[in-house]
Amino acid sequence: MDPTHPYFADGLNMLNDDFDLSGPAETGAGPSGSGATPTSRTKSKRLTSDVWQCFDVVEMTLPDGTVGPRAKCKFCPKNYTTTKGGTGHLRRHMQKCMPKHVQVPNTTQTQLQRHPDGSVTTWHYDAAHARECLARYIAQTDQPINFGDCVFFQEFITSAYCPQMQIVSRTTTRNDLIKMFKTQRDDLTAELQHLTVSIALTSDIWNACSKQDYLCVTGHYLDSECRIQKKILGFRPMDFAHTADNIFAVILSVLEIYDITHRILSITLDNASANTKSIALFTERNIPQAGGYFFHQRCACHIINLVVQSGLKKVSNRIERIRDAISWIGSSNPRFQEFGRHCTLNGLRPRRFQTDMPVRWNSTYLMLKNCLEYDTTISGFYNMKLAESGCPPAQSLTPDDWYVAKIFVEFLQVFYNATVTLSGVYYPTSSQAIHQIVEMSDMLNTYREDDLLGDAVVAMETKFKKYWSEMPFLYALGVIVDPRIKLAGLEYLLEFTGNKLSIDYSEQITDIRNKLFEVFSIYERRFGGIHTEPSPEPDRQPLPTSWSILKRRKKDKSASSSSSTTRSAASSGAELNRFLEAQFDADENTENFDLLLWWKTYSYRYPVLSHLARDILVIPVSTVSSEQAFSTSGRIIEPRRNCLTPEMVEVLICIQDWEHARKRMQNETVDEQFIQNFSNLYVDEGSASNQVQN
């Protein structure tokens, strides 16, 4: 710091309050500043140089053994001669030493920052904090890593918000992202180590446009407030074949980083054979908990997809004609403009139509749903143009085609809703699975004899029975731990489903009951000595499930069935028997009911069963939570950014997911942009937006 700077004097003046900066009032020092002891006969010369504000003149032993004056720095141990050579050497030391000990006051105008609560504080630009915020913004919004080095971004920030902003290079941002990732991963590791409940996993493999495969591992657990948390634990490249050994090795490497291998309760995977074989490798390592009853879960949404796809094949010829008509209308701008005028003449708003993707059955559902309102308009225009071009009438759209489309949309609505429900993040899906199976079985039974959909329904029913003729134990326990259903309600739901699909679940009910007491005994040995304090009564919150079937059951019959079967199931497990036989205030008709909160509240009454229930309810029945990462990574590894290293891809994916988890923003079970691609295609865009809002 230059002491001649106009603001340097302010720093020196600050010393006046603590130090005697003027030196001795009288001294025997002559012009040479010898520092002799003052006398009454000799008047000292005042030290006028500003360097003496940083030095004291003291008597010290000189190198030749004599005693004489030395200039000692007020901030460090160094001292210098004062007898000759002037003060240049003192000034050079002052320029280096004083800035380290005297803070020059900030002379810029103070800036105020207003908080949401109305309070006001001063604000100062912090370059390190600004870099951290920039790195977080880049990860959350899929911006390029060199975003902070963009000239136009810098001009925008410095002109409109913060003139002090410093340029951030790509390398600096990359290092900031890696540092943030490691810090947040360490925090997540510490959080997982202090959990009192088990951890459930989901995993899936994705093929990126960069010709690199990735395996995503996602963890699900309950936090201290009994809320479901979802965090991506790893997003690793698969540089080898998708064999069971390789899948096992990658997942295990992720678990070892967080040291949670011994905490895993279940892994939800799709139906690939390699995934099924990898479960045996986990079992050999003694990783499964709770006797391994819940360890391997098949993705329910993947099963629904297989069921629907088998039906689509049977009606593909009629849907194909609708798909061809939509594709033909939109393949030419003049043709589409003519179709728009045709819509206007028929009193409809001109709009575009998006064709479906064969690999995504929900896109077929959305395509048909959004064009049904225009069925006669599309048929009239398309058939007219076919006749003008001399095409055979066999290619024309018929009312039967639209009837099949309409009925199929109504039919698929149940499967679409089931997919959305079972893809949830912040509520238990294991307790919802049987409810959705019941509704789908009822729909299959309703349309089995339909003249146009019969073949499709039979094919779907066959695929449905292949996977769910034996009810998964997790789904059964998901409704048993619901105090409004329990064993009696489960028996009724399975009986209803069996009647609709000609499946005998009677032996399975006995097997489920026996397994329930076996699992409870495992938890009783582990948590039998734990006692908790009662919590406040919960407010009832909604569960999006239809209870019309359960309302029709005969309560007296179910009560007697419950009491007799539970007592004979096991002589031990008094707490479980007490729960199964108890009558609760939870009303079956109540739409507002929080199952996790109920178990947190009554954990003091059922200390062992509450641990089992909360472990059961945290297990997801689908891999959609892992697949959502692929939608995000598709934006990160786009063609313009496919040079990102796999390590950097994992950093960006994890930071974004963890930030969304912190704000509870992971509950988007349906891709909104995907839906808008089919539904918001009106030509008059302004009025379309109003219609969407209304």
Side-chain angles (χ1 to χ4, degrees), residues 58-271:
V58 297
E59 294 288 338
M60 301 181 66
T61 301
L62 302 179
D64 58 2
T66 62
V67 177
R70 296 283 288 182
K72 184 178 183 302
C73 180
K74 294 182 179 182
F75 306 109
C76 70
K78 291 185 178 182
N79 59 85
Y80 298 90
T81 179
T82 62
T83 57
K84 59 181 178 179
T87 59
H89 60 307
L90 303 180
R91 186 177 299 279
R92 286 189 293 272
H93 174 79
M94 181 182 68
Q95 291 175 347
K96 296 179 180 180
C97 185
M98 187 171 176
K100 301 177 182 179
H101 301 86
V102 180
Q103 182 178 2
V104 178
N106 185 5
T107 59
T108 60
Q109 183 178 1
T110 301
Q111 300 184 43
L112 299 180
Q113 180 180 16
R114 183 178 297 276
H115 299 285
D117 60 358
S119 60
V120 178
T121 59
T122 58
W123 177 85
H124 301 284
Y125 175 73
D126 186 341
H129 179 67
R131 283 169 40 194
E132 179 183 351
C133 292
L134 176 63
R136 182 177 291 108
Y137 174 80
I138 288 174
Q140 287 180 321
T141 59
D142 308 321
Q143 300 296 334
I145 297 179
N146 61 352
F147 183 75
D149 202 16
C150 175
V151 175
F152 301 104
F153 172 72
Q154 297 168 15
E155 181 180 357
F156 167 66
I157 296 297
T158 55
S159 300
Y161 294 100
C162 182
Q164 303 102 313
M165 177 201 169
Q166 300 177 4
I167 297 176
V168 184
S169 67
R170 174 189 176 91
T171 302
T172 301
T173 299
R174 180 182 180 278
N175 294 335
D176 290 341
L177 286 167
I178 295 175
K179 179 181 178 181
M180 182 184 301
F181 166 73
K182 292 181 178 179
T183 300
Q184 294 188 11
R185 187 176 63 182
D186 292 342
D187 294 341
L188 178 57
T189 301
E191 180 184 2
L192 296 178
Q193 294 302 315
H194 291 84
L195 292 179
T196 58
V197 294
S198 302
I199 303 171
L201 301 179
T202 58
S203 181
D204 205 354
I205 299 177
W206 175 67
N207 307 108
C209 65
S210 58
K211 307 303 179 183
Q212 173 70 63
D213 297 342
Y214 289 89
L215 185 145
C216 180
V217 180
T218 307
H220 306 256
Y221 58 93
L222 291 180
D223 61 15
S224 58
E225 299 179 6
C226 210
R227 300 183 306 174
I228 294 179
Q229 296 286 350
K230 185 217 88 171
K231 301 286 182 64
I232 292 180
L233 304 180
F235 197 84
R236 299 301 179 82
M238 291 284 290
D239 298 326
F240 23 72
H242 301 174
T243 63
D245 291 333
N246 293 333
I247 293 173
F248 167 76
V250 174
I251 296 179
L252 186 63
S253 67
V254 173
L255 302 183
E256 290 175 344
I257 288 179
Y258 296 92
D259 192 21
I260 56 174
T261 307
H262 61 291
R263 308 289 299 276
I264 304 305
L265 178 65
S266 71
I267 301 181
T268 305
L269 306 166
D270 63 24
N271 294 312

Side-chain angles (χ1 to χ4, degrees), residues 264-496:
I264 304 305
L265 178 65
S266 71
I267 301 181
T268 305
L269 306 166
D270 63 24
N271 294 312
S273 59
N275 288 332
T276 303
K277 293 178 181 178
S278 67
I279 295 299
L281 301 177
F282 285 101
T283 304
E284 292 176 1
R285 290 287 298 267
N286 297 320
I287 292 178
Q289 290 187 325
Y293 283 111
F294 316 110
F295 190 69
H296 181 207
Q297 299 299 323
R298 298 180 183 273
C299 176
C301 294
H302 188 249
I303 294 176
I304 294 175
N305 175 65
L306 296 176
V307 171
V308 175
Q309 291 287 4
S310 63
L312 286 174
K313 294 178 182 178
K314 298 297 182 179
V315 295
S316 59
N317 57 334
R318 296 185 181 276
I319 295 177
E320 186 68 29
R321 283 198 287 266
I322 297 177
R323 183 185 296 114
D324 290 342
I326 293 174
S327 178
W328 181 83
I329 291 173
S331 62
S332 168
N333 289 340
R335 187 180 300 151
F336 173 74
Q337 293 170 2
E338 186 178 357
F339 174 73
R341 293 191 292 270
H342 189 73
C343 291
T344 303
L345 292 175
N346 286 273
L348 296 174
R349 294 170 56 194
R351 61 159 295 168
R352 298 180 183 274
F353 298 96
Q354 181 70 34
T355 56
D356 62 337
M357 294 169 282
V359 295
R360 298 186 65 174
W361 73 266
N362 54 344
S363 67
T364 304
Y365 165 80
L366 292 172
M367 177 190 71
L368 297 176
K369 180 180 178 180
N370 284 282
C371 68
L372 283 177
E373 183 183 356
Y374 289 72
D375 54 354
T376 57
T377 304
I378 293 175
S379 294
F381 180 78
Y382 182 67
N383 293 341
M384 178 183 65
K385 292 300 180 181
L386 287 180
E388 292 177 356
S389 60
C391 293
Q395 299 182 11
S396 302
L397 285 172
T398 65
D400 284 348
D401 294 334
W402 290 108
Y403 173 78
V404 171
K406 180 180 179 181
I407 299 301
F408 208 56
V409 166
E410 295 176 357
F411 178 74
L412 292 181
Q413 179 72 50
V414 172
F415 296 86
Y416 184 82
N417 293 341
T419 300
V420 173
T421 300
L422 300 181
S423 302
V425 174
Y426 296 137
Y427 58 82
T429 55
S430 56
S431 63
Q432 297 293 308
I434 284 187
H435 292 283
Q436 302 304 321
I437 288 176
V438 167
E439 295 190 12
M440 287 186 288
S441 64
D442 189 30
M443 184 62 68
L444 290 172
N445 179 72
T446 301
Y447 285 92
R448 185 184 295 115
E449 304 299 330
D450 187 89
D451 294 336
L452 296 176
L453 292 183
D455 292 341
V457 172
V458 170
M460 294 174 68
E461 186 175 335
T462 301
K463 186 71 69 172
F464 190 95
K465 290 181 178 180
K466 176 182 178 180
Y467 291 101
W468 285 330
S469 59
E470 182 177 350
M471 192 60 62
F473 184 45
L474 173 67
Y475 299 1
L477 259 62
V479 295
I480 290 176
V481 298
D482 190 325
R484 301 164 295 176
I485 304 176
K486 299 185 289 188
L487 264 175
L490 171 66
E491 293 177 8
Y492 187 84
L493 291 174
L494 292 183
E495 180 183 356
F496 179 90

